[in-house]
């Protein structure tokens, strides 16, 4: 998950301390028992693709711009997931980050662990190498990840030193990271403006007041090694993200699934697109208009899968509550009990490994 504490279960498996059997999920959570289509078996029908080209070429009053805002709002309120085309990031830069990720994950374990003693930021969470979740957890995750605190360039450079042969290459890696995080940051903010506009609000003003500088985003490169038992084991459990929104670039292998009308739907990999999902924060901010989509990462026995995620977080100490301007404009009362974002975060993490992640449902005021 975008947001999770460091773990060691996959390392324990690689070192013979855990067996494949230890990784098998409780039957009701397994991909096959849930009658899911396994990775690649469907085409992502129902997860819309939205071309955001009009953002760069049209004025806000144009029909083309209005249609784009409508499509985004519709996707955010129907399934909470969509892919954006013409997103403004250079695909070559994303591919190059992916190549660095592959190189990092091919290192021996002790070198990968060498990166993880770095900082742990209160909002963006741990940074460094994370090898699955805890070995004592009942449902173990078949994944490893490298997590970066985007703003902390010194950490990025020292992490780069573990897998780049010389300073020059470490600098090149750091430049690619800069390009990608800058592009992700710009896009997240633009999408937040558009999604607020889709709620009938003055997007820029709301973003300025509630979004800018309130959090510290995190970037995570994930690796899901081939798994001999992909029908019994998962890469990541069903969960929603606690972010405002999350951006994800995935390779061509496929395995990210979203829960849609009771089915699991695989999101079609597209090299030129970014997957966007609404996070818990936006669901509450929008007073339940937008949905923080439940998703999971499935596995396959044949080939490794990689993804790059950007988690657009809100500040740790802010209250999680609907945007007052929205309630006023719609003459609505809040559908959620207010809570500290940090409290929601802890609650969400405590549920996810058990397969009990229900996003912000538990905060809903009954009868509303
Ligand atoms: O790698 C993926 O496909 C999904 C990652 C994800 O959902 C997460 O890290 O929160
Ligand atoms: Fe996620």
């Amino acid at each position: 998950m975008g947001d999770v504490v460091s773990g060691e279960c996959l390392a324990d498996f690689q070192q013979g301390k855990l067996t494949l059997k230890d990784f098998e999920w409780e039957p009701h959570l397994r991909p096959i028992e849930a009658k899911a289509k396994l990775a690649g078996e469907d085409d992502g029908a129902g997860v819309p693709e939205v071309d955001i080209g009009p953002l760069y070429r049209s004025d806000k009053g144009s029909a083309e711009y209005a249609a784009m805002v409508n499509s985004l709002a519709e996707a955010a309120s129907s399934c909470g997931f969509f892919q954006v085309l013409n997103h403004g990031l250079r695909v070559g830069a994303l591919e190059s980050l992916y190549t660095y990720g592959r190189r990092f994950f091919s290192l021996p374990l002790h070198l990968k662990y060498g990166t993880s003693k770095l900082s742990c930021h209160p909002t963006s969470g741990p940074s460094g190498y994370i090898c699955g979740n805890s070995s004592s957890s009942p449902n173990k995750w078949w994944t490893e990840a490298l997590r970066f605190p985007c703003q902390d360039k010194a950490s990025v450079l020292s992490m780069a030193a573990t897998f780049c042969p010389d300073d020059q290459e470490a600098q090149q890696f750091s430049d690619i990271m800069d390009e990608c995080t800058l592009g992700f940051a710009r896009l997240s903010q633009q999408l937040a403006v558009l999604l607020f506009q889709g709620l009938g609000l003055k997007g820029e003003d709301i973003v300025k007041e509630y979004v800018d500088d309130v959090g510290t985003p995190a970037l995570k490169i994930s690796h899901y090694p081939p798994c001999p038992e992909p029908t019994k084991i998962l890469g990541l459990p069903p969960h929603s993200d606690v972010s405002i929104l999350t951006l994800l670039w995935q390779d061509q292998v496929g395995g990210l699934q979203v829960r849609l009308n009771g089915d699991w739907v695989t999101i079609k990999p597209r090299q030129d697109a970014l997957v966007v999902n609404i996070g818990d924060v936006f669901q509450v901010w929008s007073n339940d208009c937008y949905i923080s989509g439940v998703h999971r990462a499935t596995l396959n026995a044949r080939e490794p899968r990689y993804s790059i995620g950007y988690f657009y977080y809100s500040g740790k100490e802010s209250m999680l509550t609907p945007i007052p301007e929205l309630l006023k404009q719609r003459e609505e009362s809040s559908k959620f009990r207010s809570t500290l974002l940090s409290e929601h975060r802890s609650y969400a993490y405590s549920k996810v490994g058990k397969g009990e992640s229900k996003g912000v449902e538990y905060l809903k005021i009954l009868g509303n």
Side-chain angles (χ1 to χ4, degrees):
M1 297 222 330
D3 339 277
V4 163
V5 290
S6 57
E8 69 290 332
C9 67
L10 196 61
D12 282 349
F13 173 76
Q14 285 159 1
Q15 293 169 329
K17 294 184 208 158
L18 290 174
T19 65
L20 209 51
K21 198 109 192 103
D22 293 321
F23 274 80
E24 290 182 6
W25 283 54
E26 291 158 48
H28 71 285
L29 294 171
R30 291 181 191 174
I32 199 73
E33 269 74 6
K35 293 199 173 47
K37 292 164 183 162
L38 281 178
E41 285 178 12
D42 61 24
D43 61 359
V47 178
E49 291 175 359
V50 184
D51 179 356
I52 56 167
L55 180 61
Y56 310 104
R57 61 170 183 261
S58 311
D59 70 76
K60 281 187 207 145
S62 71
E64 171 177 67
Y65 187 96
M68 168 186 65
V69 169
N70 275 341
S71 306
L72 292 171
E74 171 62 30
S77 48
S78 59
C79 73
F81 263 82
F82 47 92
Q83 304 218 58
V84 283
L85 308 177
N86 288 315
H87 47 65
L89 275 83
R90 198 166 57 84
V91 176
L94 291 162
E95 282 171 341
S96 155
L97 201 50
Y98 154 84
T99 307
Y100 279 113
R102 285 192 77 125
R103 193 195 297 174
F104 172 80
F105 292 120
S106 71
L107 293 174
L109 261 179
H110 71 278
L111 287 182
K112 291 191 275 194
Y113 268 119
T115 63
S116 67
K117 292 183 193 73
L118 292 157
S119 61
C120 184
H121 189 277
T123 312
S124 62
S127 58
Y129 177 59
I130 302 167
C131 199
N133 56 339
S134 160
S135 289
S136 58
S137 167
N139 296 302
K140 298 182 215 341
W141 308 349
W142 191 269
T143 181
E144 57 179 345
L146 185 58
R147 234 169 163 281
F148 298 91
C150 292
Q151 266 98 341
D152 185 352
K153 286 198 182 161
S155 295
V156 170
L157 265 176
S158 71
M159 279 151 97
T162 60
F163 58 96
C164 295
D166 52 47
D167 287 354
Q168 196 188 345
E169 187 138 13
Q171 188 57 52
Q172 274 165 13
F173 169 78
S174 168
D175 291 346
I176 288 289
M177 272 289 288
D178 275 354
E179 179 180 346
C180 292
T181 52
L182 209 75
F184 279 132
R186 191 177 301 133
L187 179 62
S188 317
Q189 208 175 83
Q190 284 165 332
L191 286 169
V193 168
L194 293 169
L195 287 162
F196 281 127
Q197 287 171 347
L199 293 169
L201 296 169
K202 290 201 173 95
E204 278 98 350
D205 295 353
I206 301 290
V207 164
K208 223 173 244 145
E209 181 148 3
Y210 297 96
V211 185
D212 271 355
D213 297 329
V214 292
T216 311
L219 190 135
K220 184 177 84 160
I221 309 178
S222 297
H223 171 215
Y224 305 89
C227 175
E229 293 281 14
T231 59
K232 294 181 178 160
I233 299 173
L234 276 169
L236 285 180
H239 68 279
S240 64
D241 292 348
V242 300
S243 55
I244 300 168
L245 53 84
T246 302
L247 305 175
L248 187 108
W249 181 87
Q250 57 173 335
D251 67 14
Q252 290 300 295
V253 176
L256 173 61
Q257 295 184 332
V258 55
R259 191 98 174 126
L260 248 185
N261 307 320
D263 282 329
W264 286 103
V265 174
T266 302
I267 305 216
K268 183 176 159 190
R270 273 195 72 152
Q271 212 117 5
D272 59 340
L274 287 171
V275 180
V276 182
N277 69 278
I278 300 294
D280 293 350
V281 172
F282 224 137
Q283 180 165 350
V284 175
W285 277 355
S286 69
N287 207 25
D288 216 24
C289 278
Y290 294 157
I291 298 170
S292 176
V294 172
H295 54 286
R296 66 182 187 182
T298 59
L299 305 162
N300 74 81
R302 302 170 312 276
E303 50 189 334
R305 173 172 178 260
Y306 299 85
S307 69
I308 302 169
Y310 180 86
F311 300 88
Y312 191 38
Y313 285 123
S314 184
K316 191 176 174 84
E317 290 314 323
S318 46
M319 287 303 282
L320 188 54
T321 186
I323 299 286
E325 285 83 343
L326 180 77
L327 297 183
K328 196 163 159 214
Q329 180 175 304
R330 300 194 165 193
E331 298 181 1
E332 278 177 11
S333 53
S334 173
K335 296 188 176 155
F336 297 96
R337 191 161 52 75
S338 294
T339 187
L340 267 177
L341 185 54
S342 52
E343 274 171 25
H344 169 59
R345 206 187 287 268
S346 314
Y347 179 84
Y349 296 165
S350 73
K351 293 287 176 196
V352 73
K354 302 181 189 129
E356 292 170 4
S357 171
K358 292 208 172 57
V360 288
E361 283 307 302
Y362 77 102
L363 290 174
K364 281 209 179 143
I365 297 171
L366 294 174
N368 220 325

